Amino acid sequence: MIDLEILHLGIKRDGNFNEKDIENSELKRLGVGRVLDSLASLKDRKLIDLNKDGSFSITDLAKHTLWSEQVPTWVKILRLLEIKSYSIEQISDFLKKSDTELIDEIEKLRKNQLVLMSPLRQESKIIKMYEILPEGIEKIKKIEEAGFQDDLLEESGKPKTEILEIIGHIIKEISEPEINKKELILKLNQIKEKLKI
């Protein structure tokens, strides 16, 4: 959690931060010892570099985890929720993405039963908190081993079902005495669209 806060501070400051930035952030509540331990740990794991002037830089390896454009948003959300449960506003702040960009992705994850939304009362407001489910943790493990696809193709099994239905229609039409070629081409194009080919 502390590591994430330090990296987030660096990201907010365009990849570089120094002691003053830490002092002026929420991190000062932790005390010097804990912050220094985290900085040393991050440096050992090659997530930050120490610059000659005593400031720190976020490495590409650290950026790749949560802030790379090559990583799909849903993967970043799962990685973030693996650390701690967050509200949509907090996820938005950490990932530097707008709420509207995130809502669809979180909804997909929820439908796939990878994350759970729990309402939480804070003062007079109800806040939606999102937490990762065991299936979400499993998905992250698979991603780390095998890489990721750009979208959740298995989203509720819907695209697969639709494709199978279209194939069923094609088979039926082929077995008819008179084949409507235009209709067949249309259906094949629908399959291509769904497979994003």
Side-chain angles (χ1 to χ4, degrees):
M1 187 56 225
I2 300 167
D3 293 354
L4 177 63
E5 280 187 60
I6 291 171
L7 292 174
H8 184 229
L9 174 70
I11 290 292
K12 282 198 293 192
R13 305 200 62 76
D14 290 329
N16 289 298
F17 64 100
N18 56 32
E19 278 177 54
K20 261 203 177 104
D21 298 324
I22 294 171
E23 227 172 90
N24 296 328
S25 75
E26 290 284 306
L27 288 160
K28 68 177 176 200
R29 75 187 189 282
L30 302 165
V32 177
R34 281 177 78 186
V35 171
L36 286 175
D37 285 348
S38 279
L39 288 170
S41 165
L42 288 166
K43 191 173 176 298
D44 290 345
R45 287 179 286 147
K46 296 181 174 26
L47 297 173
I48 60 170
D49 285 328
L50 179 60
N51 302 321
K52 285 177 183 170
D53 64 358
S55 66
F56 299 94
S57 297
I58 306 289
T59 64
D60 288 341
L61 178 64
K63 285 176 189 167
H64 185 74
T65 310
L66 286 175
W67 297 284
S68 166
E69 286 308 311
Q70 276 89 52
V71 179
T73 304
W74 64 269
V75 175
K76 295 178 195 175
I77 294 167
L78 285 180
R79 284 176 177 169
L80 185 63
L81 294 179
E82 199 177 11
I83 298 164
K84 192 182 168 211
S85 300
Y86 288 109
S87 69
I88 191 91
E89 290 80 13
Q90 291 167 319
I91 296 169
S92 164
D93 182 43
F94 273 111
L95 299 184
K96 295 178 77 178
K97 289 193 176 290
S98 71
D99 293 9
T100 44
E101 278 180 272
L102 296 169
I103 286 166
D104 285 351
E105 297 292 333
I106 288 177
E107 225 15 67
K108 277 186 205 172
L109 292 168
R110 219 173 56 75
K111 281 180 186 166
N112 279 280
Q113 296 173 340
L114 300 175
V115 302
L116 176 74
M117 188 280 285
S118 313
L120 184 78
R121 186 176 287 282
Q122 268 186 8
E123 291 150 26
S124 60
K125 286 195 299 186
I126 299 267
I127 292 167
K128 293 177 178 178
M129 293 297 283
Y130 294 90
E131 62 182 286
I132 194 165
L133 291 168
E135 292 83 356
I137 293 166
E138 203 53 47
K139 187 83 175 168
I140 285 287
K141 277 184 194 161
K142 280 183 190 165
I143 288 163
E144 304 309 336
E145 287 163 17
F148 44 73
Q149 294 158 327
D150 273 336
D151 57 348
L152 280 171
L153 243 189
E154 66 267 36
E155 184 194 333
S156 309
K158 197 178 163 203
K160 286 181 184 172
T161 312
E162 286 174 0
I163 289 166
L164 288 172
E165 277 174 24
I166 297 167
I167 290 169
H169 287 298
I170 291 171
I171 291 166
K172 197 176 163 194
E173 278 179 36
I174 290 170
S175 59
E176 294 290 322
E178 288 203 20
I179 297 167
N180 184 339
K181 286 183 183 174
K182 275 186 183 171
E183 197 65 36
L184 281 179
I185 291 165
L186 193 76
K187 285 191 165 55
L188 289 168
N189 281 330
Q190 280 180 313
I191 291 174
K192 271 176 77 173
E193 225 172 88
K194 298 215 176 291
L195 291 171
K196 292 186 170 69
I197 296 171

